[in-house]
Amino acid sequence: MSNNDDWLRRSQAAVWHPCTQMRHHSDRAAPGYLPLIPIARGEGAWLYDFDGRRFLDGISSWWTNLFGHANPRINAALHQQLDTLEHAMLAGFTHPPVVELSERLAALTDHSLGHAFYASDGASATEIALKMSFHYWRNAGRPQKSEFLCLAGSYHGETVGALAVTDVALFKEAYAPLVRHAAHVLPSPDVRLATPDEAPAAVARRAATALAEHLARHGERTAALILEPLVQGAAGMVMYDPEYLRQARTLCDAHAVHLICDEIAVGFGRTGTFFAHEQAGIRPDLLCLSKGISGGYLPLSVVLCSDAIYAAFLDDSVARAFLHSHSYTGNPLACRAALATLDIFEQDQILAANQGKAQAIATALAPLAAHPQVSHLRQRGMIAAFDVCTDDPHFSRRFYRAALAREALLRPIGNTVYLMPPYIVSTAEIDHLAQAAYGALTEALAGR
Ligand SMILES: *Cc1c(COP(=O)(O)O)cnc(C)c1O
């Protein structure tokens, strides 16, 4: 038995894997059978198994990795931090990595969001933003502002609170009785919904009309609108025009409603700018960050908020304080990885360098536009996607397997295939991903 087979067998017996029907790993006769892939090591954009097979990480290991696996600069920063301080509680104590990271994140928002509240994962950041908004209105003497708004297809995490503002049936349906029904789902400004003579900005204005109508009637009861700026990731890389963000900002201001930007997936340069909301020339009241924040190294999330929100919690009363906490809040190692990540952004001028890479992705994927079963080839910065017209319920798994056989990790969301590689990807590696995507598409469609 190879090392690969041994780890595979032991993992499927002892590890309950996320977002997975475990039977698809254990039952070779099941139609959706897919063997687990034990990973021995990572280097750059590549992951290696124990049998010497390798996979180009075309989706940045669930959208987290920015500068490759085992990045020497992040590794060095972490080694140093490990020998200095691995962890200390953040209530009553503080430490240089969390202070420096908070200052640098505030500076990246031009100090409009100057207060950083930490957690360990994206869903917790969503919970924090929702609780903070609700508690702000309570402290401001407007406790009736307790409802939230989200967009069709939104994904803000899978804890019970975050599910209230998540609109992906697959994740939500089974738990519907547990989920608070205080969130209203508004139409998405998805550019694919454009009528033949409608520009993307017009779709955005049409969707904003629905927001305006809702706020006109329910603004008094509404605490916040939460959205994923420019790209709704888990919905299938749904893209929309920045005009929606401008309209949303104006409407939220008019009705005293917080705008929460969930940049857990789209922050840290994914869409071309450091934060996606910058492309609309706006700032949110609350900004959720995670995934790329630590370069894909360690669990870390943060909610940045404005002075106005922060000030509403300052009081002699403990009950008016934000009494939320997680054991590993502001973990020094995770913060150090985040600082090393920000250093790389600056030293290597990543945003400028990514413009060339985004162009290379566009060029490499262009031939797919002519494929008779491909539609809506789209891109925003370092995220590219296309939809596949097929009624095969097993398409995504067939494609995933066919891509792996071509040394590429590409994991479609339903019938949407997307590329979201780490920023260290080379032009040759981009071509490899595009060719693997084309080959996997042909094989998956033929495999019906
Ligand atoms: C991944 C994601 C989350 C949840 O983050 P987790 O760390 O998986 O809990 C929330 N919002 C968006 C937009 C995401 O992409």
Side-chain angles (χ1 to χ4, degrees):
M1 188 184 282
S2 79
N3 256 333
N4 242 22
D5 290 343
D6 186 39
W7 287 116
L8 178 161
R9 190 181 49 74
R10 286 165 61 186
S11 193
Q12 74 196 23
V15 182
W16 196 339
H17 291 265
C19 203
T20 297
Q21 170 51 264
M22 287 303 291
R23 186 154 182 224
H24 289 155
H25 285 324
S26 58
D27 183 355
R28 282 170 187 273
Y33 175 71
L34 265 179
L36 273 166
I37 301 170
I39 294 301
R41 65 186 184 88
E43 191 184 333
W46 295 86
L47 293 166
Y48 296 83
D49 76 0
F50 290 87
D51 288 346
R53 287 190 307 165
R54 58 175 201 161
F55 310 98
L56 186 51
D57 191 349
I59 58 167
S60 298
S61 285
W62 259 354
W63 322 348
T64 58
N65 193 288
L66 300 189
F67 301 124
H69 299 279
N71 181 291
R73 286 143 86 184
I74 303 176
N75 285 8
L78 280 176
H79 279 297
Q80 212 173 36
Q81 185 60 45
L82 200 52
D83 289 335
T84 314
L85 175 68
E86 84 300 339
H87 185 63
M89 61 191 279
L90 201 64
F93 289 84
T94 192
H95 50 76
V98 80
V99 175
E100 285 174 32
L101 180 60
S102 307
E103 289 174 350
R104 286 175 73 174
L105 291 174
L108 284 162
T109 69
D110 292 327
H111 300 279
S112 60
L113 303 169
H115 309 275
F117 195 100
Y118 290 89
S120 314
D121 54 65
S124 300
T126 297
E127 302 276 344
I128 288 163
L130 298 179
K131 283 176 70 177
M132 232 178 224
S133 173
F134 168 79
H135 200 161
Y136 168 91
W137 293 117
R138 202 174 107 112
N139 283 352
R142 301 179 77 175
Q144 73 280 9
K145 286 177 93 64
S146 63
E147 295 178 6
F148 298 107
L149 301 177
C150 61
L151 299 182
S154 60
Y155 180 91
H156 300 291
E158 291 170 56
T159 50
V160 173
L163 276 180
V165 289
T166 285
D167 183 46
V168 179
L170 184 66
F171 301 135
K172 192 165 177 172
E173 236 158 50
Y175 310 104
L178 303 182
V179 177
R180 190 169 175 263
H181 294 286
H184 183 85
V185 180
L186 294 161
S188 163
D190 184 349
V191 287
R192 296 173 304 178
L193 302 174
T195 57
D197 55 354
E198 210 176 22
V203 185
R205 279 191 287 274
R206 183 152 53 82
T209 305
L211 170 61
E213 283 166 5
H214 183 89
L215 287 176
R217 283 194 290 150
H218 305 293
E220 277 300 307
R221 301 209 302 263
T222 306
L225 162 67
I226 183 167
L227 47 74
E228 300 156 84
L230 301 187
V231 184
Q232 296 183 279
M237 301 303 157
V238 169
M239 300 190 184
Y240 64 88
D241 193 273
E243 176 63 14
Y244 187 81
L245 298 173
R246 280 189 287 273
Q247 301 256 342
R249 179 69 277 180
T250 305
L251 289 164
C252 285
D253 285 341
H255 293 273
V257 166
H258 290 141
L259 177 61
I260 304 172
C261 284
D262 174 351
E263 298 222 11
I264 289 165
V266 296
F268 293 87
R270 278 292 172 197
T271 67
T273 44
F274 193 81
F275 296 124
H277 67 257
E278 291 168 23
Q279 293 181 42
I282 60 139
R283 292 289 183 198
D285 302 290
L286 293 149
L287 177 61
C288 301
L289 303 171
S290 188
K291 292 203 167 106
I293 190 172
S294 68
Y297 264 67
L298 287 158
L300 181 69
S301 66
V302 62
V303 176
L304 301 179
C305 82
S306 63
D307 289 345
I309 291 179
Y310 182 72
F313 291 82
L314 293 175
D315 196 88
D316 287 330
S317 153
V318 173
R320 283 175 71 99
F322 192 59
L323 301 183
H324 185 101
S325 63
H326 296 284
S327 310
Y328 284 99
T329 293
N331 174 260
L333 283 164
C335 290
R336 182 57 69 197
L339 288 167
T341 297
L342 292 180
D343 287 343
I344 295 175
F345 266 101
E346 283 175 17
Q347 289 160 9
D348 295 4
Q349 306 198 1
I350 294 299
L351 294 179
N354 277 0
Q355 287 178 11
K357 304 210 176 194
Q359 189 52 54
I361 292 171
T363 306
L365 288 182
L368 276 155
H371 192 288
Q373 278 167 274
V374 167
S375 67
H376 297 112
L377 181 60
R378 56 194 180 273
Q379 187 175 355
R380 177 77 69 176
M382 293 295 285
I383 308 173
F386 58 86
D387 300 338
V388 179
C389 312
T390 171
D391 56 5
D392 176 5
H394 299 295
F395 168 77
S396 92
R397 234 171 277 137
R398 275 190 227 282
F399 181 98
Y400 170 73
R401 202 169 5 196
L404 288 174
R406 289 164 176 78
E407 298 192 324
L409 167 50
L410 293 170
R411 201 170 184 269
I413 301 171
N415 287 359
T416 300
V417 175
Y418 70 95
L419 263 57
M420 198 162 162
Y423 306 159
I424 44 107
V425 74
S426 68
T427 307
E429 287 166 340
I430 288 169
D431 289 342
H432 175 102
L433 284 175
Q435 276 158 26
Y438 210 107
L441 180 66
T442 308
E443 184 183 326
L445 292 174
R448 264 299 338 234

